[in-house]
Amino acid sequence: MISPITASKIFSTLGNTDSLVPMAIKDTANSLGLTAGSYITGKDAESQDRFIDEFGTQAIWLLGIPAYKKVLDWTLFKSLGLDAGVDARVLKDQEVFELAKKYAQKHDEKFKDNKKIKQISQSLEKITSKQKLFKGLTFGKFVASTALTIISYGALTNFRQKYREEKIKKDFYEKHSKNQKHQNTINPLTYSKAFKDIHKENKKVNFTGKLEDFMFSPVKNLMIVDGSITTERIAKSQNKQEFMGYVLKEGFFWFFMYFAGERIKTMLENNSLKKRNIPISLDARAIESEELKKALLNNKIMQSIYEFPANSKPTNAEIYKFVNENPDNLIVKMGKISGIIKTVKGTEAINEQTGKAVQGSGSIDNRKYIDPDEIQGLKDKLAMLYEKGEEFVNKEVENLKTKLKSEGKEFAGLSAEQKVEFLSKYLDKVKKGNRIATIQNIGACIGFLGILLPAMIVGWRFMDKENKEYKVKTEIEKKLKAEMAAKNNKIA
């Protein structure tokens, strides 16, 4: 039995379109499907090549940027005495930055024995006089880690192509060793000049849009790397079969990896709201938290919303100030629980009855960026949850009245116990709806990338008899036969 906290974390991660975990799951399904498809069409030679290509690329694609960033954090930033844990976006609004230092100092005074809190306060003070340098280093880290990841993929591509050609050559010579008298006079590991001529130069890919989005979003950061990977795969295709296979594969991969998830998520959320009047857009950790349940049952959600800055478009500083000065507000608690507001471990309040940390009570890590739009969105989602909850209760009351009337009884009014029962039923539907939507979303992407797309590629290969064979192997063997024949004629 999975604990509620673990389950909420799992569904939150799977439903987060800015998380690398669902990306990894989708890509693994895609890689397994394509490798299996390659075995069906090209047996060992093609499937081994596909396995190296897909899973080697996945390792570089997912782990390259984080690994290179971590190395730069340990070396460059540390050598300059700067805390790489500070999000550079905190510095872009000077009013917010000054508030961050102010609240970090307050937290330091409150948690005097907490070394992590003290480090946060000191880190922000150090950066004050080195803001330009820190921003430059952050941008440099983004560029360097992305470039090094792309270079790593290029090295993998060269290794993979050389490996498969050498493997095909070795198998070819072993197969012909009994029939070819002078086979040993030719080096089986020779990299044919004819194949070098087939290789093409890699191309550069240009992206448009806000640079900040690509720098700080793990998923959008990967899009840059993937753009280079896609370009290099297509540019270095060694024949039409490989070229068209990559065009088909990469086109659908991009759609279902980067765009479909968000669109399916929105469609499922809108569908739940329209057909069942159940809002499921909140983060799973927030939906399944005890704090939300208490607030819903105690009718405290709207009280927290009324405490939010009253003007329709509060400034970033006003939202930042609100978040730091209202730790008991439900918006702030849900922001911490869902990860929108980062907190410092070990600073949570402890429930005296259970002895466990109270969810959403940790001290804010003022080094981290708090997106004002996400806070606004969280407030709106909570308001929607409350509104639809009231409508659900009213509908249940009408159903109860109808039932009592059919039994010849009168409705004596809604008791507190009945309201708690109806709201608990409503929240259970929200939880269930959120979980089902998350499973449907990632399941749809996995189904297409891991089953339908590989099946389409296999079908495309089998539709044309001349296209069924693994062209790379066929072309290498054809050239080796020609080289062998020419060598035999020369000796004869």
Side-chain angles (χ1 to χ4, degrees), residues 59-60 62-74 145 149:
I60 293 172
L62 286 171
L63 305 176
I65 288 177
Y68 285 124
K69 280 185 174 179
K70 187 62 68 177
V71 170
L72 291 170
D73 289 346
W74 288 337
S145 59
T149 302

Side-chain angles (χ1 to χ4, degrees), residues 388-437:
K388 298 304 177 184
E390 289 295 298
E391 291 177 8
F392 183 88
V393 170
N394 292 336
K395 187 176 180 180
E396 289 294 306
V397 169
E398 291 303 316
N399 292 338
L400 180 60
K401 286 180 179 178
T402 302
K403 181 184 176 183
L404 290 173
K405 187 176 181 180
S406 67
E407 295 174 352
K409 300 176 183 177
E410 290 187 5
F411 178 65
L414 183 67
S415 68
E417 290 78 11
Q418 286 175 316
K419 186 169 184 179
V420 167
E421 179 188 345
F422 293 154
L423 284 174
S424 296
K425 183 179 177 181
Y426 165 69
L427 194 55
D428 286 340
K429 287 184 176 293
V430 174
K431 290 179 185 178
K432 185 177 179 180
N434 178 271
R435 289 187 175 191
I436 291 174

Side-chain angles (χ1 to χ4, degrees), residues 102 147 168 257 308 465:
K102 171 187 171 183
I168 290 170
M257 190 62 71
F308 195 79
K465 290 182 179 180

Side-chain angles (χ1 to χ4, degrees), residues 90-227:
V90 176
L91 309 176
K92 69 179 183 179
D93 186 324
Q94 285 303 300
E95 190 175 357
V96 169
F97 180 54
E98 291 302 321
L99 286 172
K101 291 194 294 180
K102 171 187 171 183
Y103 292 120
Q105 182 61 40
K106 282 188 175 182
H107 296 151
D108 187 18
E109 293 171 0
K110 181 179 179 180
F111 299 93
K112 292 181 180 179
D113 297 328
N114 192 303
K115 293 181 180 179
K116 187 69 174 177
I117 293 286
K118 184 171 289 295
Q119 180 192 338
I120 291 171
S121 179
Q122 291 173 347
S123 295
L124 291 172
E125 285 297 335
K126 274 186 179 180
I127 288 175
T128 302
S129 60
K130 299 179 181 179
Q131 293 186 48
K132 189 174 181 180
L133 172 63
F134 188 82
K135 290 177 183 178
L137 289 174
T138 300
F139 177 72
K141 179 171 70 172
F142 159 70
V143 172
S145 59
T146 304
L148 288 168
T149 302
I150 292 171
I151 291 170
S152 298
Y153 174 71
L156 173 69
T157 300
N158 292 331
F159 164 78
R160 177 179 64 86
Q161 291 185 341
K162 189 170 183 179
Y163 172 82
R164 72 180 176 187
E165 290 166 16
E166 292 176 350
K167 180 74 168 60
I168 290 170
K169 288 179 181 182
K170 183 180 179 182
D171 292 344
F172 174 83
Y173 283 115
E174 286 178 354
K175 180 180 177 181
H176 290 80
S177 60
K178 293 181 180 179
N179 304 319
Q180 296 295 328
K181 181 179 178 180
H182 302 288
Q183 177 264 332
N184 288 331
T185 61
I186 301 176
N187 181 359
L189 300 183
T190 300
Y191 190 62
S192 174
K193 182 180 182 302
F195 269 94
K196 287 185 179 179
D197 294 338
I198 295 175
H199 291 176
K200 300 175 182 177
E201 290 297 320
N202 191 14
K203 300 176 182 178
K204 293 181 181 179
V205 180
N206 294 318
F207 290 86
T208 57
K210 291 173 66 177
L211 180 62
E212 181 182 299
D213 290 343
F214 289 98
M215 284 180 65
F216 296 100
S217 167
V219 171
K220 289 183 179 179
N221 206 166
L222 285 185
M223 289 178 73
I224 300 177
V225 176
D226 220 349

